[in-house]
Amino acid sequence: MSANDGEVKLVMAYIRPDKLGDVKKALADVGAPSITVTSVSGRGSQPARKGQYRGEEYTVDLHQKTKVECVVADIPAEDVVAAIVEGAKTGEPGDGKVFVLPVESATQIRTDKTGPEAV
Amino acid sequence: MSANDGEVKLVMAYIRPDKLGDVKKALADVGAPSITVTSVSGRGSQPARKGQYRGEEYTVDLHQKTKVECVVADIPAEDVVAAIVEGAKTGEPGDGKVFVLPVESATQIRTDKTGPEAV
Amino acid sequence: MSANDGEVKLVMAYIRPDKLGDVKKALADVGAPSITVTSVSGRGSQPARKGQYRGEEYTVDLHQKTKVECVVADIPAEDVVAAIVEGAKTGEPGDGKVFVLPVESATQIRTDKTGPEAV
Ligand SMILES: Nc1ncnc2c1ncn2[C@@H]1O[C@H](COP(=O)(O)OP(=O)(O)OP(=O)(O)O)[C@@H](O)[C@H]1O
Ligand SMILES: Nc1ncnc2c1ncn2[C@@H]1O[C@H](COP(=O)(O)OP(=O)(O)OP(=O)(O)O)[C@@H](O)[C@H]1O
Ligand SMILES: Nc1ncnc2c1ncn2[C@@H]1O[C@H](COP(=O)(O)OP(=O)(O)OP(=O)(O)O)[C@@H](O)[C@H]1O
Ligand SMILES: [Mg+2]
Ligand SMILES: [Mg+2]
Ligand SMILES: [Mg+2]
């Protein structure tokens, strides 16, 4: 149990919505199937894209994305990040980002278990 | 003011949507009424559930859940966790999890106050 | 590169939905245009508001809000907080809060870059 030095980590990713299936599969393969998914919108570093609709110009500056949260204890956070990158990559701009945050405590509601076993 | 050793904490929970009312009541009772709620979907450690719809087999692998975020300073994070567990528990699989994350700074937008008083 | 002492930070704000445009502009001006936006609902410290609808009394206790997440490395988190406050403030109750959380690792999915350059 030296994964993450015994600590709990929140791996948080912003990905393309149509890559969620591949990311779920990659996470299950690495032993981290428990996830929470949120519909979000966002923008990265590219300038806003201009379009035309019925003769009107408009600007698309927020794109639909999917946020995936995966809290892990026994699986190294870096393996989870690698799985998400593998599942989410197309190589085109807009593929997204993965961030890891520290978690100080974890509790499983059904059992009152706390710590790494709760995750 | 030794709650959380003067630090600010983010208590983040994934719960059953129909337990939100009980969780809100439990949080208000413990003195932590300020919350943010997000509709999410997720899966825990149980294998995906298979179903039938008009003769077609399908797999339910993401269930509707509710995310509750509650940032606290003067109320101990462990009291907030206990209140959420009390409000959210049914004893059946799927009750959810509660995580505590460190917060380095807090600002109330209306007043420009920062630190524990801003929370 | 001494912004944030070389560390990565997650700036997370709950704001009024109709202030998102001003906040996006303020963030772009300070050099932090990359954001993720989520529709949320929430309550602050004010007691729930009572209303009447067709003779029935009801209580509004969760208000529509917008969550903005902005991960930064080279821009000081305090500048990002100040930009959000500037964009989001009306001076009336309900303007929201801004929190800063530590981020331990960052990866750009398209390039596999990690660390501050990935943000
Ligand atoms: N620094 C950030 N803070 C918050 N959200 C971000 C950040 N960077 C990216 N995102 C989220 O990830 C989504 C995809 O970002 P994107 O992949 O376009 O980033 P990028 O830096 O422009 O990289 P690329 O050059 O590969 O497009 C955005 O729409 C946004 O939701
Ligand atoms: N490790 C995790 N990371 C991210 N989200 C999680 C994690 N574990 C649970 N969740 C969220 O909590 C919800 C409920 O999880 P659940 O209670 O089924 O967890 P569990 O570990 O299977 O526990 P139980 O055996 O009591 O069902 C999931 O649908 C998901 O949204
Ligand atoms: N401590 C908190 N934890 C989680 N979310 C919060 C917290 N405080 C505020 N929020 C979120 O911010 C939104 C706006 O809060 P609000 O500005 O009303 O806070 P407040 O403390 O009551 O300040 P004010 O007196 O200026 O109204 C809430 O609806 C909620 O979504
Ligand atoms: Mg981009
Ligand atoms: Mg479960
Ligand atoms: Mg208020």
Side-chain angles (χ1 to χ4, degrees):
Chain A
M1 171 118 21
S2 58
N4 306 308
D5 297 322
E7 293 181 356
V8 178
K9 304 291 177 188
L10 166 60
V11 182
M12 182 174 105
Y14 307 112
I15 63 169
R16 297 180 191 278
D18 59 8
K19 290 305 231 171
L20 178 59
D22 291 343
V23 166
K24 284 196 292 188
K25 199 171 307 177
L27 285 172
D29 286 350
V30 80
S34 299
I35 54 168
T36 296
V37 175
T38 312
S39 287
V40 299
S41 61
R43 52 160 295 160
S45 51
Q46 276 78 23
R49 205 172 57 198
K50 284 183 167 40
Q52 287 258 344
Y53 180 72
R54 298 191 175 177
E56 299 288 321
E57 196 176 78
Y58 67 91
T59 307
V60 181
D61 71 334
L62 291 183
H63 302 265
Q64 291 308 121
K65 298 286 170 183
T66 294
K67 180 179 180 178
V68 177
E69 293 168 302
C70 181
V71 179
V72 287
D74 298 348
I75 312 292
E78 50 266 50
D79 293 5
V80 175
V81 172
I84 293 174
V85 168
E86 182 208 314
K89 192 185 298 210
T90 69
E92 298 299 317
D95 277 352
K97 306 273 172 80
V98 193
F99 302 108
V100 179
L101 281 75
V103 174
E104 291 180 352
S105 100
T107 305
Q108 187 180 37
I109 293 172
R110 176 175 60 86
T111 60
D112 290 294
K113 266 190 208 156
T114 58
E117 316 141 77
V119 171
Chain B
M1 170 113 26
S2 58
N4 305 308
D5 298 323
E7 292 181 358
V8 179
K9 304 291 177 188
L10 166 60
V11 182
M12 182 175 105
Y14 307 112
I15 63 169
R16 298 180 191 277
D18 60 8
K19 289 306 233 170
L20 178 60
D22 290 344
V23 166
K24 284 196 292 189
K25 199 170 307 176
L27 285 172
D29 285 350
V30 80
S34 298
I35 54 169
T36 297
V37 174
T38 313
S39 288
V40 300
S41 61
R43 52 159 295 161
S45 51
Q46 276 79 23
R49 206 171 56 197
K50 284 185 167 39
Q52 287 259 343
Y53 180 72
R54 297 189 174 179
E56 298 288 323
E57 196 176 78
Y58 68 90
T59 307
V60 181
D61 72 334
L62 291 182
H63 302 265
Q64 292 308 121
K65 297 287 170 183
T66 295
K67 181 179 180 180
V68 177
E69 293 168 303
C70 180
V71 178
V72 287
D74 298 349
I75 312 290
E78 50 266 48
D79 294 4
V80 174
V81 172
I84 293 174
V85 169
E86 182 208 315
K89 192 186 298 208
T90 69
E92 299 298 316
D95 277 352
K97 305 274 172 81
V98 192
F99 302 109
V100 179
L101 281 76
V103 174
E104 292 180 351
S105 99
T107 306
Q108 187 180 37
I109 293 172
R110 176 175 60 86
T111 59
D112 290 294
K113 267 188 208 156
T114 58
E117 315 141 77
V119 173
Chain C
M1 170 112 26
S2 59
N4 306 307
D5 298 322
E7 293 183 356
V8 179
K9 304 292 176 187
L10 165 60
V11 182
M12 181 175 107
Y14 307 112
I15 63 169
R16 297 179 190 278
D18 60 8
K19 290 306 235 170
L20 178 60
D22 290 344
V23 166
K24 284 196 293 188
K25 199 171 307 176
L27 285 172
D29 286 349
V30 79
S34 298
I35 55 169
T36 296
V37 174
T38 312
S39 288
V40 299
S41 62
R43 51 159 295 159
S45 50
Q46 275 79 21
R49 205 171 57 196
K50 283 182 169 39
Q52 286 259 342
Y53 180 71
R54 298 192 173 177
E56 298 289 321
E57 196 174 76
Y58 67 90
T59 306
V60 181
D61 72 334
L62 291 183
H63 303 265
Q64 292 307 122
K65 297 286 169 182
T66 294
K67 181 179 180 179
V68 177
E69 292 168 302
C70 180
V71 179
V72 287
D74 298 348
I75 311 291
E78 51 264 50
D79 292 4
V80 175
V81 173
I84 293 174
V85 168
E86 182 207 315
K89 192 186 297 210
T90 70
E92 299 298 316
D95 277 352
K97 306 273 172 81
V98 193
F99 302 109
V100 179
L101 281 75
V103 174
E104 290 179 353
S105 100
T107 306
Q108 188 181 38
I109 294 172
R110 176 175 59 86
T111 59
D112 289 293
K113 267 189 209 156
T114 58
E117 316 140 77
V119 172

